[in-house]
Amino acid sequence: MHQSISIYQHTATCIIMARSLRSIVGLRPSSLYLCTTRCLSTSQHLLAGHSKWANIKHAKAAQDKKRSITFNRCSKDIVTAIRVSNGETNLDVNARLRTAINAARAVDMPKDKIEAAIRLGSGEGVQPQAFVFECTAPGGILMVIDAEADKRVNALQDLNKWLHRYDGVVGNDGTALWAFDRQGHVEIPAAIFEEGDLDPEELALEVDADDVTITNSGATLVIDPKALSGLETRLRDAGVDTFMSGVKYLPHSHAHPSKADLDNFVKMKERLMTEVESIFAIADNLPSEQEES
């Protein structure tokens, strides 16, 4: 701003000086025109330089913002990979963590940021508090958002900022949770059952699992979240260290928004996951076929 003002002052000064010279030494109009033009040309070059620097700063700010979003997403992937695998940080064992770290390195994420994400996922140092927000979006879409922050108000401030841009709202307790079943999920790779005496169906009966799904890649047990820690202990006692566990919100009442509302929600969800550092997971009540479309 100050530079722009000084440039205009410089131009005005040139014109005044040229007119003064004309009155003193009798410059012809053509000479007066040449003197003023050269002065204005100098001012234009100064303005052009100012504009170029402003464009460079704007481009750099946009690039830094893009890098910050990318690093934020990589950090979340690393933390989640450790937490769902029972705190396993051995890359030879935790394939999901290995993939997350390789992805972070591929985008030149600094080593200290990667190590900070590993410490956070491992539970080292000061841990943020966990919060659950119940939200609504146009078209009857409900959301359950898992977030972590040092204070609830900090997470809520960033969340509200982006929700409002897409006509979303943070609701009161009970606004969205009624439409979801909260379930504990434990995924065990097939190699565990092939190597030992552990049988997935017998294990499911033993821990009173609500459901068990067996595929070529392994078994998934669905259990009451309150019994999740007991199942994790049972697996460790059996010598099973390679498994992924966590709590999921699965909808039993679905929304059927218009295409416009669905497109709006998809954009909002993407921005929330990338822009709001405190958000780790978003569950919604869209039918699976709409989420995949």
Side-chain angles (χ1 to χ4, degrees):
M1 180 66 181
H2 293 299
Q3 184 176 358
S4 298
I5 292 174
S6 64
I7 290 171
Y8 292 123
Q9 289 175 338
H10 171 74
T11 303
T13 302
C14 287
I15 295 174
I16 293 171
M17 289 178 62
R19 288 176 177 174
S20 299
L21 285 172
R22 180 187 178 189
S23 62
I24 296 172
V25 299
L27 283 176
R28 290 177 298 176
S30 58
S31 299
L32 173 64
Y33 173 78
L34 179 61
C35 179
T36 306
T37 301
R38 287 178 177 174
C39 238
L40 290 174
S41 177
T42 302
S43 299
Q44 288 172 354
H45 282 302
L46 289 171
L47 282 170
H50 174 71
S51 176
K52 182 178 180 181
W53 172 239
N55 290 337
I56 292 174
K57 287 200 299 182
H58 179 74
K60 185 179 184 302
Q63 185 180 24
D64 290 345
K65 178 65 174 177
K66 186 176 180 180
R67 280 168 58 85
S68 177
I69 291 173
T70 301
F71 293 164
N72 180 31
R73 176 174 291 182
C74 289
S75 179
K76 289 180 181 179
D77 289 343
I78 292 171
V79 172
T80 302
I82 296 173
R83 288 179 176 172
V84 300
S85 61
N86 194 34
E88 181 59 69
T89 58
N90 186 336
L91 300 186
D92 294 330
V93 176
N94 192 337
R96 182 170 176 174
L97 176 59
R98 183 170 64 250
T99 300
I101 290 179
N102 287 339
R105 289 171 176 166
V107 295
D108 296 326
M109 184 172 176
K111 183 179 178 181
D112 62 330
K113 291 185 179 294
I114 294 176
E115 292 174 347
I118 293 174
R119 288 194 298 271
L120 180 62
S122 303
E124 297 180 20
V126 178
Q127 292 292 298
Q129 300 180 62
F131 302 102
V132 175
F133 296 100
E134 300 179 53
C135 308
T136 61
I141 301 174
L142 302 176
M143 294 177 287
V144 178
I145 299 179
D146 289 317
E148 294 184 353
D150 54 345
K151 295 180 181 179
R152 178 182 174 86
V153 66
N154 293 340
L156 187 59
Q157 183 177 6
D158 291 338
L159 176 58
N160 271 324
K161 172 185 173 181
W162 289 102
L163 279 176
H164 289 167
R165 293 193 182 190
Y166 296 90
D167 298 323
V169 177
V170 176
N172 298 321
D173 292 346
T175 298
L177 280 174
W178 66 267
F180 296 82
D181 291 321
R182 187 169 179 265
Q183 298 178 343
H185 281 241
V186 176
E187 299 176 19
I188 308 170
I192 298 298
F193 302 112
E194 296 170 357
E195 296 171 357
D197 298 328
L198 202 62
D199 180 85
E201 293 182 340
E202 290 181 2
L203 177 63
L205 290 172
E206 179 184 337
V207 298
D208 194 24
D210 296 327
D211 190 21
V212 58
T213 303
I214 303 173
T215 63
N216 292 333
S217 59
T220 300
L221 278 68
V222 178
I223 194 169
D224 187 320
K226 295 179 181 178
L228 190 58
S229 61
L231 175 54
E232 293 171 345
T233 301
R234 169 69 179 84
L235 290 171
R236 294 191 202 98
D237 292 343
V240 179
D241 294 321
T242 307
F243 62 88
M244 294 193 298
S245 61
V247 175
K248 295 183 179 181
Y249 292 94
L250 301 179
H252 55 74
S253 178
H254 297 93
H256 299 281
S258 65
K259 186 179 186 305
D261 286 337
L262 178 61
D263 291 343
N264 175 74
F265 173 74
V266 170
K267 293 177 182 177
M268 177 178 68
K269 187 175 181 179
E270 174 67 17
R271 296 304 292 272
L272 287 173
M273 288 300 297
T274 55
E275 299 281 356
V276 185
E277 186 175 354
S278 59
I279 293 179
F280 270 79
I282 299 176
D284 60 66
N285 67 332
L286 289 173
S288 57
E289 60 270 16
Q290 279 195 301
E291 289 189 302
E292 294 171 358
S293 62

